[in-house]
Amino acid sequence: MSAVIETNKLCKIYEGARRGQDVNALNDLTIAVQEKEIFGYLGPNGSGKTTTIKMLLGLIFPSSGTMKIMGSEDIGLPQIKRKIGYLPEGAYYPDFLKGEEILRFYGQLYGLRGKDLERRIDETLEIVGMTRARKRLLRGYSKGMRQRIGLAQALMSDPQVLILDEPTTGLDPVARKEMRDLLVRLRSEGKSLMISSHELLEVELISDRVGILYEGVLQTMGTVNELLTDRDLSVDVTGVTENSVNSLAEKGIVVEDRIDGRARLRVAQTLSLYDAMEILKAHNLAVVSVAPRRETLEELFVRIVGDAKAKKEGKK
Amino acid sequence: MGGVWSIAVYTFREGIRKKTLIGFLILSIMVIFGSQFMTAFLTTSSDTTGQSELDVKLIKDICVTAISIFGMLITIFVSASVVPNEVENKVVYTVLSKPVRRFQYLLGKFLGVQIIIIVNLALMGGLFFFALYLKEQVAPTLLLWSILLTYFQFLIVSAFTFAISCTSTSSVLPTIGGLFIYITGNLTEYLKDVYDRSGQTESTIDWIIGQSAYRLWQVLPNLQYFNLKDQILYLSVNDHPRDAMIPQLILYGFVYGVAGYLMSYWIFRRKEL
């Protein structure tokens, strides 16, 4: 596998109005998005995700460092841009146009004309499942349909790389699932996807690798399996009382879910299985099952961002 | 360059739906149409021939002023808003992520603005032409020349307003800038006066002011060159324009228009979006 997007020590400094007011938006970012993978690009608001994407698209310019798309450093070349599809977050599409007219406009920007253009419109509408709504004005579209049309415009040149900024934000659960399935299908068709998102569950479900950014610094990057390790234990017990809940928490055992006397406990990795069983026995709890508990992407995200925040505050 | 034309058509289709623009256009049409009836209230001569001439003159005056004012407002409003609006609603991101260079994007937007201005001018001018034709029973060809020159006047204001809009994230500053260009462009003759008078004293400050005024007079466009209002008012409606070098004025307007566009590209080429 080769990288379709590469950045090397990429930095972006937004100059302030006065000296000392410069904002270091991105610091020595080195990432690579591989061929035929979904790369989840995560970070809290203002962490530098959109700045990275804008630089990759040539909308803003790096202060230092290099970028390559499909092996080329000249990312502004038309033949390179033809290979990239981009869906911005919350983009506007004019209400007075029909779905197919939007695609006709964007197709023309790729230099498509006549039968080639019409054929590509048909294909793209089919891919995003909007063929039946193609003649409807955008003002009659739901949010999910608008997002699909947005994705369709990104797919008009049949690009090898898709850069998607918050593709599922604001969608209802059904539309979100449909969008997720669509993205997985695009990967299976050989496309590479870089997805910037706040929807951590969505990213966890479909990403091959993730990178977490905080205040312009890449905190971690790796495959989902590498990063989401079995850190704690999940123990189902019976006989839980109000008193035992408080007492267990003091010893590093957290009640995650509880219905009457039954509960699912999370045992921190600092406790050995033997110690945990001793504690539960001391509280007169009957163990129903014990299983390794994999950390969720959300928990990893919160932990990494929390650590980075604490480190920064410690430095101050 | 097909992309440029697509952007221009899209800009036109979107621009003509703007409520402010439609409002200005309706107002101007109402004034042009209403001028036919306004004359009845504004003139009271007992001489029928004199009355008729006065009516026509009033109609011409009202219509030329309406076209000039509303046309200019439409020009400034559209030129000031197309680029900042697209940056705000992120359409520019989707367009520039395609194989479209920044100069092509700007050229498309600029051409789209020009189509809007031309269509509006054609609508207002066409109505005025029709109204005048009904009154005079001859084709008012002088009016056509005037409308042509008015367009080149608008082109200059539009180009520089467009350039200012490329520096801005909202349309407020470019709108103010556009009005400033229109006003100063109509007052450039006064700069020449200032220069002529500055030689009358030995004062250094006077000399500096005079030289500055002279340089500005040399650089700034003189929008009064395009004004045929007096000729429309006092000549026959089918006369040829007098003392107006039409080809030179067209070239003059075109050169300033291109200069404005190049300025906008120079600003936009490294703009962080």
Side-chain angles (χ1 to χ4, degrees):
Chain A
M1 280 215 296
S2 59
V4 290
I5 296 177
E6 290 170 85
T7 69
N8 185 26
K9 291 185 180 290
L10 199 61
C11 293
K12 179 67 191 172
I13 298 165
Y14 289 110
E15 285 175 21
R18 289 185 197 154
R19 236 176 138 182
Q21 286 185 336
D22 291 356
V23 177
N24 214 342
L26 211 57
N27 220 334
D28 284 342
L29 180 78
T30 301
I31 56 166
V33 178
Q34 304 296 330
E35 227 177 2
K36 298 174 190 171
E37 77 166 359
I38 297 182
F39 180 76
Y41 196 44
L42 313 173
N45 288 335
S47 58
K49 301 187 301 289
T50 304
T51 297
T52 312
I53 291 174
K54 282 183 174 182
M55 281 198 278
L56 289 169
L57 296 164
L59 299 170
I60 58 173
F61 309 99
S63 304
S64 64
T66 57
M67 303 174 283
K68 279 185 188 174
I69 293 183
M70 311 293 292
S72 170
E73 278 194 35
D74 192 350
I75 56 170
L77 285 175
Q79 57 266 40
I80 296 298
K81 285 193 166 180
R82 251 174 250 284
K83 291 175 182 168
I84 308 171
Y86 170 55
L87 172 68
E89 182 192 1
Y92 158 88
Y93 302 101
D95 278 352
F96 62 88
L97 292 179
K98 294 171 186 164
E100 61 177 15
E101 287 177 325
I102 291 274
L103 299 188
R104 197 164 289 125
F105 168 66
Y106 284 107
Q108 285 167 348
L109 299 184
Y110 281 112
L112 294 170
R113 292 286 181 278
K115 282 180 185 170
D116 287 345
L117 175 61
E118 296 308 316
R119 197 191 62 237
R120 189 60 200 155
I121 291 170
D122 294 345
E123 287 169 0
T124 313
L125 286 167
E126 186 67 41
I127 292 170
V128 299
M130 290 286 288
T131 305
R132 288 176 67 187
R134 64 185 296 166
K135 299 272 183 206
R136 276 167 58 185
L137 290 173
L138 252 74
R139 67 172 66 104
Y141 279 14
S142 67
K143 206 163 186 178
M145 291 164 92
R146 279 171 184 264
Q147 198 70 337
R148 277 162 179 266
I149 278 294
L151 185 61
Q153 66 77 21
L155 288 167
M156 274 305 285
S157 67
D158 192 16
Q160 284 164 270
V161 184
L162 277 167
I163 299 175
L164 313 175
D165 202 353
E166 302 288 352
T168 55
T169 300
L171 302 185
D172 64 46
V174 176
R176 204 178 288 180
K177 166 84 169 65
E178 286 171 353
M179 179 61 84
R180 204 165 61 214
D181 293 345
L182 184 55
L183 299 182
V184 171
R185 202 169 77 227
L186 290 168
R187 174 184 57 188
S188 68
E189 286 168 7
K191 300 197 188 305
S192 314
L193 292 90
M194 180 178 182
I195 300 175
S196 157
S197 181
H198 285 119
E199 306 284 344
L200 300 176
L201 181 63
E202 305 293 323
V203 175
E204 184 180 343
L205 287 169
I206 61 173
S207 294
D208 300 297
R209 291 192 311 128
V210 293
I212 298 178
L213 201 65
Y214 178 70
E215 297 220 326
V217 178
L218 186 70
Q219 304 293 334
T220 188
M221 186 169 68
T223 65
V224 173
N225 283 335
E226 277 166 11
L227 296 176
L228 304 181
T229 50
D230 300 334
R231 296 175 58 86
D232 300 335
L233 287 175
S234 179
V235 182
D236 287 352
V237 294
T238 57
V240 178
T241 62
E242 209 54 53
N243 287 340
S244 57
V245 171
N246 299 328
S247 173
L248 287 170
E250 287 168 14
K251 294 184 169 71
I253 299 175
V254 179
V255 177
E256 285 194 317
D257 202 6
R258 183 183 160 200
I259 302 171
D260 301 326
R262 297 180 65 180
R264 173 159 292 169
L265 309 176
R266 181 176 160 193
V267 180
Q269 59 173 345
T270 47
L271 282 176
S272 70
L273 179 60
Y274 179 79
D275 290 342
M277 289 303 129
E278 284 294 310
I279 293 167
L280 297 177
K281 197 176 163 190
H283 285 79
N284 293 324
L285 301 177
V287 175
V288 179
S289 69
V290 179
R293 185 186 178 285
R294 192 168 120 146
E295 193 178 27
T296 64
L297 187 57
E298 187 176 78
E299 286 162 351
L300 173 80
F301 181 83
V302 170
R303 181 165 58 81
I304 283 179
V305 168
D307 288 352
K309 215 180 230 176
K311 203 172 155 186
K312 193 186 161 201
E313 278 163 9
K315 269 186 188 173
K316 277 183 184 172
Chain B
M1 294 299 274
V4 172
W5 185 244
S6 304
I7 295 169
V9 172
Y10 172 86
T11 305
F12 170 71
R13 288 185 68 182
E14 188 167 43
I16 52 166
R17 284 171 169 81
K18 291 200 184 298
K19 283 176 188 154
T20 321
L21 186 143
I22 295 169
F24 284 148
L25 189 62
I26 291 172
L27 267 175
S28 66
I29 288 171
M30 280 168 66
V31 171
I32 294 167
F33 187 69
S35 65
Q36 308 293 312
F37 309 101
M38 272 187 245
T39 53
F41 299 104
L42 296 172
T43 57
T44 50
S45 172
S46 53
D47 173 12
T48 345
T49 321
Q51 172 75 43
S52 173
E53 274 178 26
L54 205 57
D55 281 358
V56 172
K57 204 176 273 182
L58 252 174
I59 289 171
K60 286 174 178 176
D61 199 0
I62 291 168
C63 292
V64 170
T65 309
I67 290 175
S68 180
I69 290 173
F70 290 113
M72 188 51 68
L73 287 174
I74 288 170
T75 298
I76 291 172
F77 170 74
V78 175
S79 310
S81 61
V82 286
V83 173
N85 282 358
E86 290 224 331
V87 174
E88 196 186 332
N89 62 29
K90 300 181 183 177
V91 171
V92 69
Y93 298 169
T94 49
V95 173
L96 289 179
S97 66
K98 309 282 183 280
V100 175
R101 302 259 186 202
R102 288 189 180 210
F103 82 87
Q104 292 175 313
Y105 169 75
L106 273 192
L107 189 57
K109 300 308 293 180
F110 188 64
L111 288 178
V113 168
Q114 297 315 308
I115 299 171
I116 294 171
I117 295 169
I118 289 169
V119 168
N120 280 299
L121 203 50
L123 279 172
M124 292 187 287
L127 192 64
F128 182 25
F129 184 93
F130 186 65
L132 216 49
Y133 178 75
L134 286 182
K135 280 273 173 195
E136 299 277 280
Q137 295 301 313
V138 280
T141 48
L142 183 59
L143 178 66
L144 296 179
W145 289 112
S146 168
I147 287 169
L148 178 74
L149 291 184
T150 303
Y151 167 67
F152 281 94
Q153 187 187 40
F154 289 176
L155 169 67
I156 294 173
V157 176
S158 159
F160 288 100
T161 308
F162 189 74
I164 298 169
S165 80
C166 290
T167 64
S168 180
T169 48
S170 89
S171 56
V172 178
L173 176 74
T175 302
I176 295 167
L179 288 170
F180 178 77
I181 291 162
Y182 179 62
I183 293 164
T184 47
N186 276 297
L187 297 175
T188 37
E189 277 306 314
Y190 290 102
L191 292 170
K192 187 76 179 358
D193 279 352
V194 170
Y195 169 69
D196 290 341
R197 288 180 194 183
S198 68
Q200 291 168 3
T201 65
E202 294 291 312
S203 159
T204 316
I205 293 172
D206 271 5
W207 184 83
I208 292 169
I209 291 171
Q211 286 300 315
S212 308
Y214 184 66
R215 299 285 170 239
L216 280 173
W217 176 77
Q218 282 183 314
V219 173
L220 290 176
N222 187 339
L223 299 180
Q224 279 298 313
Y225 290 158
F226 299 89
N227 192 348
L228 292 186
K229 187 178 175 182
D230 286 348
Q231 296 195 31
I232 287 184
L233 290 182
Y234 297 108
L235 296 181
S236 295
V237 289
N238 56 350
D239 271 353
H240 192 77
R242 289 179 196 165
D243 307 323
M245 296 171 287
I246 306 280
Q248 287 89 331
L249 279 178
I250 289 172
L251 185 66
Y252 182 88
F254 187 73
V255 168
Y256 270 105
V258 170
Y261 168 73
L262 291 177
M263 195 187 278
S264 62
Y265 173 62
W266 185 76
I267 294 163
F268 196 72
R269 79 200 159 99
R270 296 290 294 173
K271 186 180 166 86
E272 303 234 304
L273 297 166

